[in-house]
Amino acid sequence: MTTGKKVAFHTLGCKLNFSETSSLSRLLEQDGFVKTDFEEQADVYVINTCSVTDNADKECRHLVRRIQRRAPESMIVITGCYAQLKPKEIAEIEGVDLVLGAAEKFNIVDHLKTLTKGDSAKICSCDIEDVNTFHASYSLNDRTRTFLKVQDGCDYTCSFCTIPMARGKSRSDSVASVVEHAHSLAASGVKEIVLTGINLGDFGKGLEGGKKREETFFELIQELDKVEGIARYRISSIEPNLLSNEIIEFVANSKKFMPHFHIPLQSGSNDILGLMRRRYRRELYAEKVALIKQFMPHCAIGVDVIVGFPAESDAHFQETYDFLHSLDVSYLHVFTYSERANTAALDISPVVPVNVRNERNKLLRNLSHKKQQYFNEQHVGETRKVLFEKHGKDGMMEGYTDNYIKVTTPYRLEWTNQLIDWELK
């Protein structure tokens, strides 16, 4: 056991990464490590990386340089998607001691026992085809809202995406096991669980993955709805083609599943959706939004969209802009397309100039701001329940309504992790 050594973590990327970082932290704490803040001096620094955009790669390098300046004798461990995709590239970054791929990240304790500073970086990776196990993970004591990973990997082949190469095939926990986790989270005082996965709607292919679905996401949410002690569930993100009408109707009638969906669109042009190899057309997306709003007029709907994909002309972008403008959605997550190695999108032309990509990003972010403002204004005067976060910043605390409107108020200890009736102003 490693008693008293300090370990610090930094997470880049998605909610799934946050849940996995939390689980890695618990593994190391069980082995005697003491968790400390990333800005503090530590014996081991663990960076859990993302590789969706170029920025994540650059940020990883920047963090390593910062640690090197502050604590040159400390161990630096890199894991996550970037570590699986480009282990050799990471191993060459000065200061990195250990690179853990997708199959090895949860064996971090064993790897650290045999590691000494000063050797060349040790790479523990494997072919992504060999990644065929599911590791349940969740964030606990880090936030009021807990991210519970129920699915991992993806069987889709979107032309812009490296995730299948970084995380392997679609596989998932069982309904019974997820329900068990929900019970123990409820017992620990957690009020809200955010269900996370890479392709959440594809839940049910078992621990090792496979073509056949053994259980369904709809079955999962029905069982979770019965768990005593959890006041709220959110579905982190779900593909429009996997968001069935029965799921929408179930959420509308549930007291525990919040009126809040996050549905990736990526483009409002059918031409571009085809080049992206998405599994739906914009018409289906519009149908899903209309159905949600029919059942839940107050529901928040978030949208992922990519700008500057190869062959996206001004006319294609205008199509996307107009489509999003017409949709009754609440906010947008806008991503600027960046080239990723070994993806099919590299063969599509013409390439959109970077300055045009950035300009389109700005236009959609402005639209998102207007959408969010309009959505918030629609609910002024209503009283809705707000779950306030544990952590206060600068004397203030934050919380979210059931339909994901952010509320900030002066910090009150007795309100932390509590559902408070709040009149929206």
Side-chain angles (χ1 to χ4, degrees), residues 96-140:
V96 170
D97 299 287
L98 179 61
V99 184
L100 295 178
E104 292 297 328
K105 71 178 92 163
F106 292 101
N107 298 328
I108 187 168
V109 171
D110 294 338
H111 288 301
L112 282 175
K113 282 175 181 164
T114 60
L115 200 64
T116 50
K117 187 78 187 171
D119 298 342
S120 57
K122 182 180 173 190
I123 298 174
C124 300
S125 194
C126 68
D127 287 343
I128 200 63
E129 287 77 21
D130 298 333
V131 178
N132 58 4
T133 52
F134 178 85
H135 290 272
S137 55
Y138 53 87
S139 57
L140 191 56

Side-chain angles (χ1 to χ4, degrees), residues 155-403:
D155 293 339
Y156 286 9
T157 54
C158 299
S159 60
F160 55 82
C161 188
T162 56
I163 285 172
M165 294 177 257
R167 284 190 170 269
K169 60 188 173 186
S170 178
R171 54 209 190 277
S172 49
D173 213 339
S174 66
V175 169
S177 174
V178 176
V179 168
E180 204 178 303
H181 285 309
H183 279 296
S184 60
L185 288 167
S188 72
V190 165
K191 293 278 200 304
E192 181 176 308
I193 292 176
V194 183
L195 301 175
T196 64
I198 293 296
N199 190 350
L200 202 50
D202 201 32
F203 174 89
K205 288 184 174 172
L207 298 176
E208 295 180 8
K211 290 202 166 60
K212 209 163 141 232
R213 201 170 278 133
E214 299 160 14
E215 298 176 305
T216 67
F217 186 66
F218 184 53
E219 288 166 355
L220 174 66
I221 62 175
Q222 285 176 297
E223 291 306 309
L224 286 172
D225 207 50
K226 300 170 189 171
V227 175
E228 294 290 324
I230 299 295
R232 291 178 162 191
Y233 293 101
R234 292 187 196 274
I235 298 167
S236 65
S237 178
I238 187 165
E239 294 283 307
N241 51 302
L242 295 173
L243 178 56
S244 66
N245 295 354
E246 62 183 0
I247 292 172
I248 293 169
E249 199 167 342
F250 181 82
V251 170
N253 293 313
S254 167
K255 287 191 167 61
K256 296 193 174 191
F257 276 84
M258 295 296 98
H260 175 207
F261 288 97
H262 194 93
I263 316 167
L265 170 66
Q266 310 309 10
S267 176
S269 159
N270 281 342
D271 291 347
I272 299 300
L273 286 174
L275 290 172
M276 287 178 164
R277 295 186 189 163
R278 301 293 285 162
R279 298 193 177 197
Y280 54 86
R281 292 293 170 261
R282 59 185 254 160
E283 290 76 15
L284 175 86
Y285 197 96
E287 275 171 32
K288 296 296 176 186
V289 170
L291 189 66
I292 290 167
K293 287 295 183 174
Q294 181 191 319
F295 281 118
M296 296 166 275
H298 56 293
C299 185
I301 302 175
V303 184
D304 285 343
V305 60
I306 295 170
V307 294
F309 187 79
E312 183 188 62
S313 63
D314 288 345
H316 288 135
F317 174 71
Q318 194 60 48
E319 244 188 300
T320 295
Y321 188 95
D322 293 343
F323 183 62
L324 287 165
H325 193 273
S326 72
L327 283 177
D328 192 359
V329 296
S330 318
Y331 61 91
L332 314 175
H333 282 174
V334 187
F335 298 90
T336 303
Y337 171 77
S338 62
E339 286 77 3
R340 315 307 295 145
N342 304 313
T343 55
L346 295 175
D347 298 326
I348 301 170
S349 58
V351 170
V352 178
V354 171
N355 64 314
V356 175
R357 299 180 207 183
N358 292 338
E359 192 54 43
R360 290 174 185 173
N361 182 302
K362 205 181 295 178
L363 288 166
L364 283 189
R365 276 189 292 131
N366 286 340
L367 178 62
S368 176
H369 181 66
K370 287 175 190 164
K371 290 268 184 195
Q372 185 78 64
Q373 268 188 319
Y374 176 69
F375 181 72
N376 291 359
E377 282 162 12
Q378 283 178 301
H379 299 284
V380 167
E382 291 178 2
T383 297
R384 307 196 79 91
K385 288 205 180 296
V386 174
L387 178 63
F388 282 103
E389 307 273 347
K390 285 181 180 173
H391 303 296
K393 285 184 207 153
D394 305 321
M396 304 297 282
M397 69 195 309
E398 290 175 353
Y400 287 88
T401 62
D402 55 343
N403 60 345

Side-chain angles (χ1 to χ4, degrees), residues 22-162:
S22 251
S23 291
L24 292 175
S25 167
R26 282 193 297 280
L27 285 173
L28 288 169
E29 286 175 84
Q30 284 160 16
D31 194 59
F33 277 90
V34 177
K35 187 179 173 185
T36 189
D37 190 81
F38 195 77
E39 298 308 318
E40 303 294 321
Q41 203 81 7
D43 300 287
V44 179
Y45 291 89
V46 181
I47 303 171
N48 193 2
T49 62
C50 163
S51 197
V52 170
T53 67
D54 258 347
N55 282 348
D57 299 3
K58 285 176 192 153
E59 204 170 343
C60 175
R61 291 171 177 278
H62 171 68
L63 288 166
V64 171
R65 282 198 296 272
R66 258 176 54 200
I67 296 164
Q68 280 283 86
R69 284 197 297 272
R70 187 196 320 143
E73 296 306 308
S74 299
M75 294 283 187
I76 300 177
V77 181
I78 313 289
T79 187
C81 290
Y82 183 29
Q84 176 64 34
L85 289 171
K86 297 186 177 174
K88 291 193 175 81
E89 191 176 292
I90 296 169
E92 284 164 10
I93 301 172
E94 191 183 340
V96 170
D97 299 287
L98 179 61
V99 184
L100 295 178
E104 292 297 328
K105 71 178 92 163
F106 292 101
N107 298 328
I108 187 168
V109 171
D110 294 338
H111 288 301
L112 282 175
K113 282 175 181 164
T114 60
L115 200 64
T116 50
K117 187 78 187 171
D119 298 342
S120 57
K122 182 180 173 190
I123 298 174
C124 300
S125 194
C126 68
D127 287 343
I128 200 63
E129 287 77 21
D130 298 333
V131 178
N132 58 4
T133 52
F134 178 85
H135 290 272
S137 55
Y138 53 87
S139 57
L140 191 56
N141 299 329
D142 298 354
R143 300 157 179 250
T144 300
R145 296 201 314 280
T146 289
F147 299 118
L148 175 60
K149 172 180 149 188
V150 302
Q151 186 276 339
D152 200 350
C154 189
D155 293 339
Y156 286 9
T157 54
C158 299
S159 60
F160 55 82
C161 188
T162 56

